[in-house]
Amino acid sequence: MGKIFSMILLSVCAFSLSAKEYKASLFGIKSDGSTLNTRSIQKAIDFIGENGGGRLVFYVGRYLTGTIQLKSSVTIQLEEGAIIVGTTSAYDYFGVNGPKALITADAQQNIGITGKGVIEGQGISLLEQINLQLKKGFLKETISQASPALIAMNNCSNINIDQLNLQNACGNVVSLSDCHNLSVSGLLVKSTVVIGSKGITLSDCENVKLINLYLETSGQEIFSDPTSKEVTIVNCTNKTGKKL
């Protein structure tokens, strides 16, 4: 199974290297930190997915958005200095067969989120807005249900999440369920502002490689339930330097 996984991962990497690149700005996506880009980013992802796949590349700037759905054969590439920022409106997030998340995917293949950029969840500010809407009776969820992860994927395969800085989630940072053949590597995770924020959660996943991760979270750094199989953890540490 290890050889099979390696072959699949190599094919994903080969696709990534040969994939066509699309600059985010070509789709009217603004890097000013104040324009809500949800529709523009989703339009770009849908277009790339419908035209053979490729990379949607974000350059230096702050890109405000609510939930976006990743589609098959599409990779989000965050260059150094690019920051995807989650909006603080509780109504701009949703989940697809899983928890709410800033970036979500369901039943997709050959997908990725890569680069040396940042995904910023604005966890405290978003949690304050969720609590406010709950008190007013406008939300019919628990705080946990309303608090989005940064990344959530369900029933996906051939996934590459690499090099990112993931910060200040309102919920868990990365939530993966029923996913197969995935590599998560080189991440710097810091999510301590909201109590109980887990780093990476795995449920019913298979052929998972977690490599060279640094996780500083208020909840458990890595959680893998008994239904997940062939989970390999290599050189992953927490803030105390403890190997995970």
Side-chain angles (χ1 to χ4, degrees), residues 22-87:
Y22 297 84
K23 294 181 180 179
S25 58
L26 292 176
F27 297 89
I29 299 168
K30 304 298 184 183
S31 60
D32 55 18
S34 58
T35 301
L36 187 61
N37 289 295
T38 311
R39 290 184 180 180
S40 297
I41 296 174
Q42 193 61 58
K43 180 181 178 181
I45 291 170
D46 292 346
F47 176 86
I48 296 169
E50 291 164 2
N51 287 274
R55 290 194 295 269
L56 177 60
V57 184
F58 293 79
Y59 294 96
V60 176
R62 293 175 63 86
Y63 301 85
L64 185 68
T65 184
T67 295
I68 52 177
Q69 296 183 70
L70 203 53
K71 300 298 179 67
S72 289
S73 300
V74 178
T75 291
I76 292 174
Q77 173 77 21
L78 300 180
E79 296 295 326
E80 191 168 6
I83 308 171
I84 287 185
V85 182
T87 175

Side-chain angles (χ1 to χ4, degrees), residues 76-163:
I76 292 174
Q77 173 77 21
L78 300 180
E79 296 295 326
E80 191 168 6
I83 308 171
I84 287 185
V85 182
T87 175
T88 57
S89 170
Y91 300 103
D92 286 329
Y93 295 92
F94 59 86
V96 183
N97 290 326
K100 292 183 177 182
L102 182 59
I103 301 175
T104 188
D106 179 61
Q108 306 299 312
Q109 298 80 42
N110 301 319
I111 56 178
I113 311 169
T114 64
K116 295 182 179 180
V118 176
I119 300 178
E120 164 63 53
Q122 299 200 95
I124 284 293
S125 296
L126 177 53
L127 185 60
E128 289 175 353
Q129 290 302 312
I130 290 172
N131 280 321
L132 179 61
Q133 299 307 309
L134 285 169
K135 288 179 181 178
K136 290 182 176 180
F138 297 148
L139 290 177
K140 306 301 180 183
E141 303 167 295
T142 65
I143 291 178
S144 177
Q145 290 170 334
S147 299
L150 294 187
I151 299 169
M153 297 181 179
N154 175 69
N155 189 27
C156 295
S157 60
N158 301 341
I159 302 163
N160 183 31
I161 303 174
D162 181 58
Q163 292 189 303

